[in-house]
Amino acid sequence: LHRIKASGLKLRFCTNETQATREKFVKKLQGLGFDISVAEVTAPAPAACRILKERSLRPHLLVHNDLVPEFAEIDKTNPNCVVIGDAAENFTYANLNEAFQVLIGMEKPVLLSLGRGRYYKETDGLKLDVGAYMKALEYACDVQAEVVGKPAKMFFESALAEMGVPPEQAIMIGDDIESDVGGAQQCGMRALQVRTGKYRSVPARHP
């Protein structure tokens, strides 16, 4: 990262982190020695807030407790949509059922998902990600979720717009063959997969 910044190249950290605010996320990385600021981070929650305001949507939140502050300025009374993120321990039957009841009670249900990852990696192993729970609500309510984070094209386009760079002049570096590599390629960017983090060996001809 020091070499990239020293070269004058523009840089954005595109994360599907939805267990913490950008401020807390950045503080953690700074503590590990990374030169990073909040302004350099493109994350799903702020993008979702923009959508909620533009469309006058009032969310029922099924997210991690530490992410709730990102939605402080959003009206959450009498919800007319559901926003789901990586809620971790908040993914209880009662909480999922409550989100289901909100959606099933709507004539035209709206489900916003802060990513659609299948799993992610922590120090004690792989963990189920938001995508599994998103699919459960999609199936139960016969609704198609609108994905706000990676691999959504809109998410990468937002990062590119922040940098003022066209997709053909950018490269995405990440460990996820679908969310990082696939999402970037669909947006017209090149992509590079690193064999660290959640990387798992996949067939050379992965679509």
Side-chain angles (χ1 to χ4, degrees), residues 58-105:
R58 302 179 305 277
H60 169 84
L61 297 177
L62 180 51
V63 300
H64 196 281
N65 291 341
D66 290 346
L67 191 70
V68 172
E70 290 274 21
F71 297 88
E73 297 181 6
I74 300 295
D75 181 7
K76 295 177 277 292
T77 59
N78 190 26
N80 58 1
C81 74
V82 168
V83 172
I84 185 173
D86 180 14
E89 281 71 26
N90 282 346
F91 278 136
T92 63
Y93 174 79
N95 288 344
L96 277 166
N97 197 55
E98 188 178 3
F100 159 75
Q101 289 174 332
V102 171
L103 287 170
I104 206 69

Side-chain angles (χ1 to χ4, degrees), residues 100-141:
F100 159 75
Q101 289 174 332
V102 171
L103 287 170
I104 206 69
M106 298 176 190
E107 186 177 342
K108 293 183 178 179
V110 176
L111 174 61
L112 298 180
S113 185
L114 307 180
R116 71 174 191 205
R118 295 176 179 176
Y119 54 84
Y120 58 94
K121 186 176 183 179
E122 289 191 347
T123 52
D124 59 345
L126 298 176
K127 308 283 187 178
L128 268 180
D129 204 350
V130 62
Y133 302 95
M134 177 198 81
K135 286 293 183 182
L137 291 175
E138 281 187 331
Y139 177 68
C141 302

Side-chain angles (χ1 to χ4, degrees), residues 48-62:
C49 287
R50 285 195 295 271
I51 293 172
L52 293 169
K53 289 178 180 178
E54 289 169 2
R55 293 164 56 178
S56 298
L57 292 172
R58 302 179 305 277
H60 169 84
L61 297 177
L62 180 51

Side-chain angles (χ1 to χ4, degrees), residues 186-204:
Q186 288 178 20
C187 193
M189 300 165 62
R190 287 172 293 174
L192 184 152
Q193 185 181 22
V194 291
R195 299 187 180 191
T196 55
K198 67 184 286 187
Y199 169 81
R200 292 167 72 84
S201 180
V202 293

Side-chain angles (χ1 to χ4, degrees), residues 156 172 177 180-192 206-207:
F156 287 107
M172 173 71 192
I177 190 71
D180 296 331
V181 175
Q185 288 176 338
Q186 288 178 20
C187 193
M189 300 165 62
R190 287 172 293 174
L192 184 152
H206 191 288

